[in-house]
Amino acid sequence: MKKFLLLILLALISQGTFAFNKTFPLKGAFVSPADKHILYAGRISFTHPERPAWNYPGVQIVAAFEGTSLKMLAKPRSGYFMAQIDQAEPFKVAFRGERDSVVTLATALPDGRHTVRLMYIIEGYEFFPEFWGFLLDEGRSLVEAPALPSRKIEFIGNSITCGYGNEGTDKFEHFEYETENHYYSYASIATRNLNAQHWVVARSGIGAYRNYDGPKTGNPESNMPVQYEYTGYAWKPELRQEPTFLNEKWDFSRYQPDVVCINLGTNDLSTPNYDLTLLKQSYKRLLTMVRQHNPKAKIVLLTGTMLYDEEQKIAIRLLDEVADEAHQSGDQEVYRFDMPHIMGDAFLGNDWHPNIYQDEKMAGELTAYLRGLMKWF
């Protein structure tokens, strides 16, 4: 019976309608994802407006509603979100089960106007998350939401930007979606510090020319210069052939950031057998692409916190060269910022990645730098 009801739910949403009657267990006023009052941020495909889809972390959904309760609808197994109602403490929301399609976000609120802010906090490349709408009290509706911040940042990066393992407590434990939380990543924290919005193009293991432990010749089929052009991340080239949003070229006019932060190179250098000539060529190619699509943005080349000793020195020297050569070519809006490597187990999450304490430290450093660079006081 439950499976039958879920099929009804899927059918109704796919048709862009929703109805409640005595045969359906859910009650309330359905709000379509296409409602004009919902604000979205991030690389989202609206090919199917009733089922907006994505697979990068950091996607945000903001709305204001009237009433005393709120439920969220999403595709089962969409993954994890952080939710915030008004100014209350944010909390984690899970869509992990095969039938998890409705989650209560708020109940017994004071009757009135409220705001909900949602952020997708994991990498959705295995889940293909979709947002299916809201359920409000009977007879209630959305109202105008508070505007998104006018300051705009884009982060291009790897696992460090995603928030890989930052909720973990043991550096020897491996990746789990339960311990990845982009909301507490350095990128997200710095963005909130600066009262900005941020859009994310990041994937664990990705490199500027060579993904983690890739061949010396690189991964030209799946590295960041390839992925940056598309709405979603495809870990296999053949996925781009499917009639899904993974084959959708990104429309860069939808988001023109004031500043772009690129944090790549860790995976390129993290295992032996790298080719520095190829790395530099590919990084410069990515920089050229970013500049072409964002002609007015300042671009900051970052080094991450997971490189040590010789590899850290190589990354700093290589990015200095890339920035200097950009200046010589006439682009004076390319900048450099280095974050020091992780200092001690107290700042390590899973798989030797930054934990939340390290993310807060990184965010503080980057906040101060961007505040000065952008004059965001």
Side-chain angles (χ1 to χ4, degrees):
M1 182 61 179
K2 290 183 178 179
K3 184 176 181 180
F4 175 69
L5 291 175
L6 178 58
L7 291 174
I8 293 176
L9 175 63
L10 292 171
L12 290 171
I13 289 177
S14 67
Q15 295 169 13
T17 62
F18 208 97
F20 299 102
N21 54 46
K22 294 180 180 179
T23 66
F24 206 89
L26 299 175
K27 301 292 183 181
F30 172 68
V31 178
S32 163
D35 190 290
K36 65 180 182 180
H37 292 101
I38 300 177
L39 304 180
Y40 294 94
R43 287 203 177 186
I44 306 172
S45 173
F46 292 98
T47 300
H48 303 288
E50 302 292 337
R51 303 191 305 278
W54 67 90
N55 65 2
Y56 282 122
V59 162
Q60 297 165 69
I61 303 167
V62 179
F65 63 98
E66 294 179 329
T68 65
S69 69
L70 178 69
K71 293 182 175 67
M72 173 186 176
L73 290 79
K75 189 182 79 172
R77 298 196 74 251
S78 280
Y80 292 98
F81 296 78
M82 288 292 283
Q84 183 180 30
I85 305 298
D86 299 329
Q87 299 304 312
E89 191 71 17
F91 56 94
K92 188 180 286 190
V93 174
F95 290 86
R96 287 302 307 270
E98 295 294 338
R99 300 179 182 181
D100 288 342
S101 59
V102 183
V103 170
T104 297
L105 300 181
T107 187
L109 295 170
D111 194 356
R113 183 183 185 277
H114 303 279
T115 301
V116 57
R117 303 177 191 274
L118 296 162
M119 179 184 289
Y120 191 69
I121 58 172
I122 64 170
E123 301 166 69
Y125 63 93
E126 291 184 316
F127 297 103
F128 300 102
E130 295 178 2
F131 173 58
W132 286 357
F134 293 117
L135 284 176
L136 309 179
D137 293 347
E138 290 279 11
R140 299 304 181 95
S141 61
L142 296 185
V143 295
E144 185 174 357
L148 296 174
S150 60
R151 298 170 177 174
K152 297 178 180 179
I153 308 173
E154 180 176 71
F155 285 94
I156 303 171
N158 50 39
S159 57
I160 301 172
T161 299
C162 291
Y164 178 117
N166 62 353
E167 288 191 331
T169 58
D170 187 340
K171 64 187 179 184
F172 296 112
E173 290 184 354
H174 299 306
F175 178 79
E176 294 180 346
Y177 287 107
E178 290 81 357
T179 60
E180 181 175 58
N181 194 331
H182 179 77
Y183 186 88
Y184 295 118
S185 69
Y186 78 92
S188 188
I189 296 172
T191 298
R192 290 193 292 277
N193 290 345
L194 293 165
N195 189 28
Q197 59 172 300
H198 77 294
W199 294 32
V200 180
V201 184
R203 161 75 168 98
S204 292
I206 201 167
Y209 107 95
R210 184 178 80 119
N211 301 338
Y212 178 76
D213 204 24
K216 188 173 185 177
T217 54
N219 296 99
E221 76 289 347
S222 59
N223 59 21
M224 184 56 79
V226 173
Q227 303 292 347
Y228 187 66
E229 294 286 327
Y230 290 88
T231 300
Y233 171 83
W235 64 97
K236 296 179 181 179
E238 53 266 31
L239 290 176
R240 299 250 185 246
Q241 308 306 315
E242 298 293 328
T244 70
F245 79 92
L246 294 182
N247 196 38
E248 179 181 295
K249 284 293 188 78
W250 177 244
D251 178 2
F252 287 89
S253 68
R254 286 172 54 182
Y255 187 71
Q256 285 289 292
D258 301 304
V259 58
V260 179
C261 295
I262 306 176
N263 189 350
L264 291 172
T266 299
N267 290 303
D268 302 88
L269 299 172
S270 58
T271 60
N273 201 37
Y274 47 78
D275 185 316
L276 295 181
T277 299
L278 292 178
L279 171 56
K280 185 175 179 180
Q281 289 175 350
S282 193
Y283 207 112
K284 291 179 68 174
R285 177 189 169 206
L286 176 63
L287 177 59
T288 298
M289 293 168 61
V290 173
R291 170 57 70 215
Q292 288 175 342
H293 293 304
N294 305 279
K296 296 181 180 181
K298 297 182 186 298
I299 301 175
V300 182
L301 313 183
L302 305 175
T303 57
T305 58
M306 294 180 67
L307 289 175
Y308 300 83
D309 304 325
E310 185 62 26
E311 279 68 32
Q312 185 184 38
K313 294 176 183 177
I314 289 172
I316 291 172
R317 182 172 65 249
L318 186 144
L319 294 186
D320 285 345
E321 291 175 0
V322 171
D324 289 343
E325 290 173 17
H327 298 161
Q328 294 168 16
S329 298
D331 190 343
Q332 303 303 317
E333 298 291 357
V334 177
Y335 302 86
R336 285 277 294 108
F337 183 72
D338 298 314
M339 290 184 283
H341 59 245
I342 302 171
M343 300 293 290
D345 287 359
F347 299 95
L348 288 171
N350 293 158
D351 276 330
W352 302 77
H353 280 70
N355 63 17
I356 292 175
Y357 300 115
Q358 179 68 26
D359 271 313
E360 290 175 345
K361 183 174 181 292
M362 294 157 61
E365 296 164 352
L366 186 60
T367 297
Y369 176 78
L370 291 179
R371 197 181 297 281
L373 177 68
M374 304 303 298
K375 306 294 190 290
W376 284 348
F377 299 106

